[in-house]
Amino acid sequence: MSTFGASLSDESAKFIAHPVVLKGVTRTYRLDAVDVPALTDINLVILPNRFTVISGPSGSGKTTLLNLIGCIDRADQGSIMVGGKPVQTMDDDTLSDFRARQLGFVFQNFNLLQVLTAYENVEYPLLLNGVPAALRRSRVTTLLESVGLADRANNRPGQLSGGQRQRVAIARALALRPQLVLADEPTANLDSKTGSEIIALMREMQKRHRVSFIFSSHDPKVLDAADDAVHIQDGRITSIERRLAMAESRT
């Protein structure tokens, strides 16, 4: 049964208060006979309604950290709360359902379904969650208009530019009204001008929809646009810049 458009529950209220909390998180990968530490003793709170960037050089652990927050990977040690939920203790099915319903994703390679139109790609998560047809139509139309693609609704990904495909991906990420959207290097496959336009669009969407956006990126333009910047190197957080007063994130 669809919960689309329902009033915020107590758990949703926790989501807005503390979208993400990590305590003592460690992740190690096994490569042949060698243990390779990807993250070590990560302690991090993501504040609500923020444009947060996880920044670091290649191999620093930023994508691993984003994958843990996005419930795509699991930590070896420590606790992770996403939306007030202890995701570390969820079984695989519960975690998959939580990820699909509560989180939005924007990928470097767009990850659009090539056989579907822009409209159908945005509609797809709504279909999977049983949202009624009239609500789907209204939501998809509104989102495509908001990302400037109302006139490309019937185009398939192969008929769209890279920037347009990323706009579709942003609209899809927002389809189920998540409180948290995660983006892994969202400007990496775009030219400089298009990348700047996509950053501006995501910033606009973040404010309009009152969503917490978390990026992994080493793009200086993304870093400059951030409210908060989490700097990571060699699997450890080296510094956290809080560029807005906490009160501002709740206005």
Side-chain angles (χ1 to χ4, degrees), residues 64-82:
T64 299
L65 180 54
L66 195 75
N67 286 342
L68 292 178
I69 294 171
C71 307
I72 295 171
D73 195 5
R74 291 185 183 268
D76 298 313
Q77 296 178 21
S79 66
I80 302 175
M81 300 285 287
V82 180

Side-chain angles (χ1 to χ4, degrees), residues 163 166-167 170 186-187 190 194-203:
Q166 199 63 293
R167 288 171 182 267
I170 293 166
T187 62
L190 304 174
T194 304
S196 294
E197 291 171 351
I198 290 298
I199 294 168
L201 175 63
M202 287 191 288
R203 188 61 153 142

Side-chain angles (χ1 to χ4, degrees), residues 2-123:
S2 170
T3 57
F4 182 76
S7 298
L8 288 173
S9 65
D10 290 341
E11 289 299 338
S12 296
K14 290 179 184 177
F15 206 133
I16 293 176
H18 299 289
V20 178
V21 180
L22 294 90
K23 294 182 179 179
V25 169
T26 295
R27 182 69 173 105
T28 300
Y29 295 106
R30 186 79 171 175
L31 296 178
D32 297 324
V34 179
D35 288 334
V36 180
L39 295 173
T40 304
D41 194 27
I42 298 295
N43 296 283
L44 177 64
V45 175
I46 299 295
L47 299 180
N49 302 328
R50 294 291 183 103
F51 206 70
T52 300
V53 175
I54 301 169
S55 179
S58 179
S60 62
K62 59 184 182 295
T63 296
T64 299
L65 180 54
L66 195 75
N67 286 342
L68 292 178
I69 294 171
C71 307
I72 295 171
D73 195 5
R74 291 185 183 268
D76 298 313
Q77 296 178 21
S79 66
I80 302 175
M81 300 285 287
V82 180
K85 297 280 191 178
V87 297
Q88 279 295 99
T89 63
M90 292 180 183
D91 61 40
D92 289 345
D93 288 343
T94 303
L95 190 66
S96 178
D97 184 68
F98 176 82
R99 182 174 62 243
R101 293 176 181 272
Q102 302 295 335
L103 306 178
F105 293 89
V106 178
F107 298 96
Q108 177 178 337
N109 293 318
F110 320 125
N111 282 23
L112 301 177
L113 296 173
Q114 297 298 311
V115 297
L116 300 183
T117 65
Y119 182 100
E120 291 165 339
N121 267 282
V122 178
E123 183 187 35

